[in-house]
Every structure is written in C-alpha cells, then in structure tokens.
C-alpha cells in the first residue's frame, strides 16, 4: 500500500544544522526533505499518533540528531542521518508542544561538561473532570530528558486547553499565550529538577494569537485576533533581574498595562484579521508577520517601517529561520512550504502537499467531482481553494503543477464568489474539462461555465482551449466524461438534457481537418424531461450511458440514438462507470444511504445491488 498526501503544516518544521534538509511533521512521521530539490529523502517512523514537535540538536554541520514529541505521549531521540531511533521516553500524556531551552541556546561547538537536559511540555491531562467548573485540561510541565522522567509534582501553568510553547533563540525565555495574557518564564541559568523558572504575565485587551522573542534583547512581540502587533521592550527586569543586571526604575512605562513588568509597549497595525505568524530576523533588526492576507510583512524594529512579500496565494501559518542566514521557510495554509532566499525573500523551491478545496456552500454541496485520475502518468487532478486544479504525483507524493481555472482577484480568506465543482480527464490524459459556478449574489446570477483544456506537447501543461458559458442554459451540470478514443465529451445537466461535444478537428469538411481546435456541440439528448444526473462512456466508446434520475438510458454517441432504458433505482443515481472490458455497468445512488448496483449490459438487467452502511467517524 502506498500512503501519502499528509499535511505538512500541522506543526512548525526544523532545519538541519547544515540547512540542507528540512524536517517536517507529517501525521505520525517526520518527513525529511532536501531544501535544494524540495523532494523527500527520508522519514522518521515510530510514533503512533500525530507528531507535534521536532527539534534539531544544534552542533556542527555533520551532527544529525533531533528530538520529537507526539500525541501518543512519547518523546523520541533520533539520528536522522541513518535514520535510527536512539531513545524513547513515555510521559503517558498527549504532548501538544515541546521546547528544549538548554540545547536551543547552546553554541554550535561547546566543550562544556554536559548536564541534564530538560524539556518543557504542553500536555493534556485527560484525567481532569469535565464537570469541574473552569476545568483546566492544559498543563505546562517539565521533563528530564537525560533521566527519562517527568519532574514530579511540578506544574508551571494550567490552561483551559493545551497551548503552543515558544522559546527564544537564546534559550533564556519561553512563553505561551493564554487568552488575553502572555505568560513568560525565565529559564534558570543552571537548570535542574529542583530549580524553578520565574514567570511574568503581560496583559492585553484582545485575545492573543501568536508570540515571538527577540534573539538578543528583552523584547517580546505578540499578535492578536484583530490584526494588531504589540511589542514589549525591557520585559522582566524587575522579576528576572540578577545581581549584575540594572533594573529600570523609571516610573513611566508607556503603553504598558497596569503593573506589568516591561519598560514600554508599542502597537503596530497592518493586518485585517488574526496574526498567525511572528518571527524576528536572526540579527533582531526586523520582525516578520503574516496572516490570512497571504502577505509576509517585514517590519523594521527601530522605526516601525514595513515592506511586503505579497501574493503568496494562501494564508500564512509559520516562518522558520535556518542556520544559513540566506535561507528561511514559510508554511502556508494550502499545504505548501516555500523555501525563501533571504533577505530578498525570493521563493527558491516549494514543498507541495495536497491542496484542499473550499467546502461547498449550501446547494452545491455533494454536487462535485473532487478529483480525476490520469492513469498514463500516475497523477491525480484535484480542485483547490484558489480556483485551480492541482496535479499531484501519487508515486512521488508531491504536487507537480497547478492549472488556474479562473482568475483570482481576491485576497485569501475573502468570501467565496466562484466554485470549481467538476474536473474530468480523458483516458490518455491529453484533455481536461472543468466546470465552475459563479455564486449568485442576493439570489441573482449563478453563471455556469464549461471549459475544455489541451495538454501541451512540449511543456506537458494544460492550456485553455474553449470556454462555453451556460452550456445547459441556466441549469447546473451534474457530470462530464470523455470518450475513450475520440476527442469527444459529454456533459449532463439537472435541467433535463445532456450534450455531446466534439473538438473541431473531429469534424471533417470536404475531407480536410479544421485548423481550429475549439470544441462545439454535436448533439443534444433528453429523456422524459428528467434531470440527467450522471454520464459515462463504455471502454470502446460505442455506448454512452446517461442516468435520468433513477433510470439509466443507453445511447449511440455517434448517431445520438436511444438504444435502451434499464432500471430503476430507489433514489437518484449520482455516479456511473463501466467495469473495464466486462459487460457490467456500475451505478451509485445516494439518498439517504449509498446504494451500489451492478447492471448486466448483455441482459439489460440488474445483477445485484447492495446498500452501503457507512458509520461516521468521530
């Protein structure tokens, strides 16, 4: 069995010490990609639930060790150059986030005597009773990785739900957001099971969504759900100060709420919605921010001036620096990770996972063909959220390219105005058809558009051949299918008819083939004014089967002559398919439960039928 199509964006990725590999959490595994080719080169397998954290141990470029944490309640230590599992620690509670400050802040080459390594975990305590008032399921706990045990009895913070932990690049601080509060801990200079991390709390009037620490100074930034960014400077000097540090004794603390431990707090605002990405540059001169607009904003920390990397095409989720100052990555909501050349922010390579389409509004839900197979190349064509068709390699498990079905002039996250509801491919993969619907505004409109595409002989990418507006008047299209051998296709509609389309080079005039390769309607068919709900050609193309709600009509596609009618089913047929070279036709009806029926074409009768019992998975 081939498995693939995982999400690449569930958790932040991590670069190897030489920046030549990117470690990505993909379901129960960690996939390792080459940053130069964006192709997967290895994987770490062993966790039995989703991996939520991957942390590369700093060191020389040849060192390839990492820690991973998972919802299966285990922490694992790997040599990812082999790859090989070296150690497993079971904390017996789902781990939603993990940081290891002592290794994050250590120099690349350190000769200091090794001490115990401690991790700080965000876990879920499932023993908390739901009926307790203000039940706290999330906990920040401490774990001794060297001794393979939790630090007993120490809970740094309880929260309603597990929260993501952010650690500073110096390893001196870590923090979480908790509704309208920011909790920041100072890591003890010499960490041990007995030492306690001091904590401060910074307050805001809105719910916070993300935070980031400056690499060298006591500056922490946080984004909120309204799009604002707050920058606290000089945090923790009263609480975290040591004997050799000067405490800021100024009475005025501009922008700081109440008695919060910070010298000042400034606010920046450009984003129109929740800030999802915050990260300081490695030199601390800039702050990167992003959200649903699909724009990476670069703020100059001293002046607040900004510049942009626009048109990324999808909401941003995570920005990750690498040990190489000229390379970073950005994770996007459409399951892409872009490799960025810094500081120009040019996209070098893209790790492409399967893109998911929009959920269908109301009346269009369930009336879609979400994918089509190209059997000659092993690619699957999938509808995407950005009004496109993604061609994804099932064997290589990565996206190959994307066809933009219609122009997208809106920003990511805007209200849906167009939906691509159908995609179909010819048997040899040389032709494609798509159907898009412009959604009605205030009950007016609802334009249906049928498009035919041709595969280029040189670049092997699809280009638009023909656009047909309202091919079935104002009725919606239920199915599109291609003839197996000819440049012919059929579209069926809920308006009560089907149309046979041919490419103009199929039409002969005086023995000459037309130069125009556009598509035109060859014939129209109907049956008792019933909605035509599905259509398909036989393997040799001699028979066209079209479902007229609960019955199946059989046609000669060349003469447009009705050959026979078979059926009927208890509910409308939504899918038709001939079973290879056999004499059987398979239909699927759905309402309320799917019913699979197999028809014998030689006897024009039902062979057998089975109602599928599909239980919902929680």
């Amino acid at each position: 069995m081939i498995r693939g199509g995982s999400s690449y964006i569930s958790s932040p990725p991590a670069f190897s010490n030489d920046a030549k590999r990117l470690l990505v959490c993909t379901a129960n595994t960690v996939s390792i990609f080459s940053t130069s080719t964006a192709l997967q080169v290895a994987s770490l397998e062993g966790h039995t639930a989703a991996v939520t954290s991957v942390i590369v141990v700093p060191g020389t470029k040849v060192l390839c060790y990492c820690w991973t944490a998972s919802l299966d309640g285990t922490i694992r230590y790997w040599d990812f150059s082999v790859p090989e599992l070296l150690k497993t620690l079971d904390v017996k509670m789902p781990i939603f986030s993990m940081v290891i400050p002592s290794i994050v802040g250590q120099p690349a080459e350190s000769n200091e005597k090794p001490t115990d390594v401690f991790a700080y975990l965000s876990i879920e305590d499932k023993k908390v009773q739901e009926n307790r008032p203000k039940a706290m399921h999330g906990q920040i706990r401490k774990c001794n990785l060297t001794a393979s045990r939790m630090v007993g009895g120490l809970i740094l913070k309880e929260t309603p739900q597990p929260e993501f932990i952010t650690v500073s690049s110096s390893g001196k601080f870590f923090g979480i957001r908790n509704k309208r509060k920011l909790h920041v801990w100072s890591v003890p200079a010499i960490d041990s099971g007995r030492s306690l991390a001091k904590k401060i709390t910074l307050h805001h009037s809105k719910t916070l969504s993300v935070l980031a620490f400056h690499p060298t100074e006591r500056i922490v930034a946080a984004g909120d759900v309204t799009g604002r960014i707050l920058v606290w400077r000089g945090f923790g000097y009263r609480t975290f100060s040591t004997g050799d540090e000067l405490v800021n004794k100024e009475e005025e603390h501009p922008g700081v709420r109440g008695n919060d431990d910070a010298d000042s707090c400034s606010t920046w605002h450009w984003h129109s919605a929740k800030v999802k990405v915050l990260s300081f540059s490695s030199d601390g001169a800039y702050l990167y921010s992003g959200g649903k607009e699909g724009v990476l904003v670069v703020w100059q920390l001293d002046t607040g001036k900004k510049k942009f990397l626009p048109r990324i095409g999808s909401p941003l989720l995570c920005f990750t620096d690498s040990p190489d100052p000229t390379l970073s990555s950005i994770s996007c909501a459409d399951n892409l990770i872009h490799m960025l050349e810094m500081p120009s922010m040019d996209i070098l390579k893209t790790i492409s996972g399967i893109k998911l389409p929009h959920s269908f509004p109301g009346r269009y839900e369930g009336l879609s063909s979400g994918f089509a197979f190209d059997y000659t190349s092993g690619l699957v064509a999938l509808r995407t959220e950005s009004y496109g068709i993604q061609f994804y390699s099932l064997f290589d498990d990565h996206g190959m390219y994307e066809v933009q079905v219609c122009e997208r002039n809106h920003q990511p996250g805007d209200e849906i105005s167009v939906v691509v509801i159908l995609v179909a491919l010819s048997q040899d993969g040389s032709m494609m058809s798509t159907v898009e619907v412009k959604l009605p505004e205030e009950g007016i409109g609802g334009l249906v558009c049928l498009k035919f595409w041709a595969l280029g002989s040189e670049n092997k990418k699809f280009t638009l051949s023909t656009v047909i507006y309202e091919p079935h008047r104002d009725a919606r299209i239920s199915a599109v299918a291609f003839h197996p051998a000819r440049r012919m296709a059929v579209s069926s509609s809920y308006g009560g008819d089907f149309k046979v389309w041919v490419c103009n080079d199929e039409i002969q005039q005086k023995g000459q083939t037309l130069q125009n390769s556009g598509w035109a309607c060859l014939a129209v068919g109907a049956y008792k004014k019933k909605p035509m709900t599905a259509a398909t050609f036989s393997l040799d193309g001699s028979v066209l089967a079209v479902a007229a709600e609960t019955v199946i009509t059989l046609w000669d596609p060349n003469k447009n002559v009705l050959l026979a009618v078979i059926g009927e089913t208890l509910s409308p047929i939504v899918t038709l398919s001939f079973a290879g070279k056999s004499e059987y036709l398979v239909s699927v009806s759905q309402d309320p439960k799917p019913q699979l029926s197999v028809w014998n074409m030689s006897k024009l009768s039902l062979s057998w039928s089975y109602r599928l019992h599909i239980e919902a998975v929680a």
Side-chain angles (χ1 to χ4, degrees):
M1 178 186 292
I2 299 175
R3 293 184 181 272
S6 300
S7 170
Y8 297 151
I9 56 175
S10 59
S11 299
F15 283 94
S16 61
N17 290 316
D18 59 5
K20 293 183 179 180
R21 283 162 290 184
L22 186 70
L23 283 68
V24 181
C25 299
T26 50
N28 297 0
T29 67
V30 174
S31 300
I32 304 174
F33 292 87
S34 164
T35 57
S36 60
T37 65
L39 298 178
Q40 185 173 339
V41 295
S43 63
L44 307 179
E45 301 180 4
H47 284 290
T48 58
V51 180
T52 54
S53 298
V54 55
I55 302 169
V56 173
V57 178
T60 60
K61 293 183 178 181
V62 297
L63 291 180
C64 298
Y65 300 104
C66 71
W67 292 92
T68 59
S70 166
L71 295 180
D72 64 9
T74 67
I75 301 171
R76 298 174 187 244
Y77 186 57
W78 309 80
D79 179 349
F80 61 85
S81 64
V82 180
E84 180 184 3
L85 176 62
L86 304 177
K87 183 178 182 179
T88 301
L89 167 61
D90 190 356
V91 303
K92 303 186 184 305
M93 288 178 286
I95 305 170
F96 283 76
S97 182
M98 175 177 73
V99 295
I100 311 175
S102 61
I103 68 168
V104 171
Q106 75 182 33
E109 297 182 14
S110 176
N111 296 319
E112 294 183 7
K113 183 179 179 179
T115 59
D116 284 2
V117 176
F118 291 90
Y120 293 87
L121 314 177
S122 175
I123 59 95
E124 181 183 23
D125 187 355
K126 294 187 175 182
K127 297 179 182 179
V128 174
Q129 298 296 322
E130 289 286 351
N131 56 7
R132 281 177 49 190
K134 296 183 179 180
M136 297 291 182
H137 293 272
Q139 295 180 355
I140 305 298
R141 302 282 294 270
K142 189 174 182 179
C143 178
N144 188 327
L145 299 179
T146 306
S148 298
R149 56 181 173 82
M150 298 289 287
V151 176
L154 179 61
I155 299 176
L156 279 74
K157 183 65 182 177
E158 290 184 310
T159 56
Q161 301 296 331
E163 299 289 348
F164 180 79
I165 309 176
T166 300
V167 66
S168 66
S169 58
S170 65
K172 294 180 179 180
F173 306 101
F174 66 91
I176 63 170
R177 58 177 181 80
N178 182 14
K179 297 183 179 179
R180 299 180 180 183
K181 299 176 182 178
L182 206 64
H183 303 298
V184 178
W185 285 267
S186 173
V187 180
I190 302 177
D191 209 351
S192 67
R194 297 179 180 179
S195 58
L196 297 177
K198 296 181 180 179
K199 175 175 72 73
I200 65 169
T201 299
L202 303 174
H203 297 79
H204 183 41
S205 58
K206 304 294 182 182
T207 300
L208 298 168
S209 53
V210 65
L211 70 104
F213 290 98
H214 192 278
T216 58
E217 300 180 27
R218 287 200 178 188
I219 300 175
V220 61
D224 71 16
V225 295
T226 69
R228 289 175 172 81
I229 297 172
L230 291 87
V231 181
W232 284 275
R233 299 172 187 267
F235 70 86
Y237 275 113
R238 296 198 307 269
T239 308
F240 301 153
S241 62
T242 59
D244 57 350
E245 290 180 330
L246 295 177
V247 178
N248 191 337
K249 297 182 179 180
E250 293 182 5
E251 293 183 359
E252 293 185 4
H253 303 283
V256 177
R257 299 178 66 86
N259 195 36
D260 286 0
D261 190 354
D263 290 344
S264 66
C265 180
S266 54
T267 302
W268 296 337
H269 195 187
W270 181 85
H271 298 283
S272 60
K274 179 191 295 187
V275 181
K276 297 287 290 182
V277 173
L278 270 187
S279 178
F280 284 93
S281 60
S282 56
D283 61 3
Y286 299 96
L287 176 65
Y288 304 108
S289 67
K292 80 167 190 175
E293 304 91 353
V295 176
L296 184 65
V297 185
V298 185
W299 303 84
Q300 192 173 31
L301 194 61
D302 290 339
T303 65
K305 293 181 179 179
K306 52 190 175 294
K307 61 180 181 178
F308 308 93
L309 174 63
R311 298 188 180 278
I312 295 178
S314 177
L316 310 183
L317 298 180
C318 178
F319 184 91
T320 305
D321 267 326
S322 83
D324 180 352
T326 66
L327 182 66
S328 296
S329 76
I330 189 161
S331 303
C332 302
D334 57 357
N335 208 19
L336 300 181
I337 301 178
H338 298 296
M339 303 296 172
L340 302 180
E341 182 180 26
M342 304 301 288
S344 65
M345 296 191 295
D346 294 332
I347 296 177
L348 300 174
K349 290 288 183 179
T350 298
I351 298 173
S352 179
I354 288 181
K355 295 185 177 184
L356 297 179
H358 272 299
S359 57
F360 282 90
R363 58 186 292 196
Y364 296 97
E365 189 171 0
L367 305 179
S368 65
S369 173
F371 58 89
F373 286 105
D374 180 354
Y375 295 98
T376 60
S377 63
L379 301 181
V380 59
L382 302 150
R383 296 176 295 106
T384 71
E385 186 180 34
S386 56
Y387 305 160
I389 301 296
Q390 181 192 30
F391 283 83
Y392 195 89
S393 171
L394 297 175
F395 301 113
D396 297 328
D397 193 21
H398 70 89
M400 302 299 292
Y401 66 95
E402 187 172 344
V403 177
Q404 196 64 43
V405 174
C406 52
E407 292 300 324
R408 179 183 184 182
N409 296 319
H410 73 293
Q411 294 293 334
D414 284 358
E415 185 177 351
I416 303 170
S417 59
V418 178
V419 176
V420 179
I421 63 170
L422 291 172
V423 57
L425 289 171
S426 62
Q427 195 171 70
D428 62 359
S430 66
M431 296 174 287
M432 178 174 71
S433 179
T434 59
V435 177
E436 67 200 60
V437 177
K438 181 175 176 57
L439 302 183
E441 298 180 6
E442 298 181 356
I444 301 174
L447 179 70
V448 178
C449 182
L450 173 65
K451 293 180 178 178
F452 288 98
W453 308 74
L455 185 68
S457 57
E458 295 183 359
N459 63 4
K460 297 299 180 182
K461 293 185 179 180
F462 282 98
T463 56
L464 185 60
S465 169
T466 306
V467 180
I468 304 165
Y469 295 104
E470 300 289 8
H472 296 271
R473 298 177 299 279
D474 58 349
R476 288 172 288 159
I477 295 178
S478 58
V480 178
F482 281 97
H483 192 282
R486 293 179 54 189
R487 298 171 71 82
M488 174 185 286
V490 61
S491 62
S492 57
S493 88
Y494 295 100
D497 66 355
F498 68 87
K499 290 187 177 182
V500 176
W501 308 88
V502 292
C503 192
N504 282 339
D505 58 15
E506 282 277 338
I507 304 174
Q508 303 292 324
Q509 287 188 351
K510 297 180 181 180
Q512 299 296 320
T513 301
L514 294 179
Q515 296 299 316
N516 183 5
S517 60
W519 289 71
C521 180
L522 177 67
V524 180
Y527 182 76
K528 294 184 178 181
K529 299 181 179 181
K530 290 187 175 184
M532 312 303 270
T533 55
T536 189
F537 286 95
S538 62
L539 187 63
D540 61 2
S542 62
V543 177
L544 170 62
V546 184
E549 277 196 320
T550 58
V551 300
I552 301 172
T553 61
L554 304 177
W555 302 77
D556 181 334
N558 300 311
K559 300 178 181 179
N560 197 31
V561 174
L562 180 64
L563 302 175
V565 179
I566 57 176
E568 105 187 49
T569 60
L570 297 176
S571 56
I573 296 169
V574 295
T575 302
L576 283 175
S577 179
F578 282 90
K581 297 181 180 180
S582 72
E583 57 185 9
Y584 296 103
L585 174 66
V586 180
S587 69
V588 177
S589 307
Q590 184 145 12
D591 188 21
K593 293 183 178 180
Q595 181 171 344
L596 181 69
S597 301
V598 177
W599 308 86
N600 189 314
M601 299 302 293
S602 61
K603 299 180 180 179
L604 298 179
S605 62
L606 178 66
S607 292
W608 58 268
S609 182
Y610 179 74
R611 186 171 295 276
L612 303 176
H613 298 277
I614 301 176
E615 297 182 359
V617 178

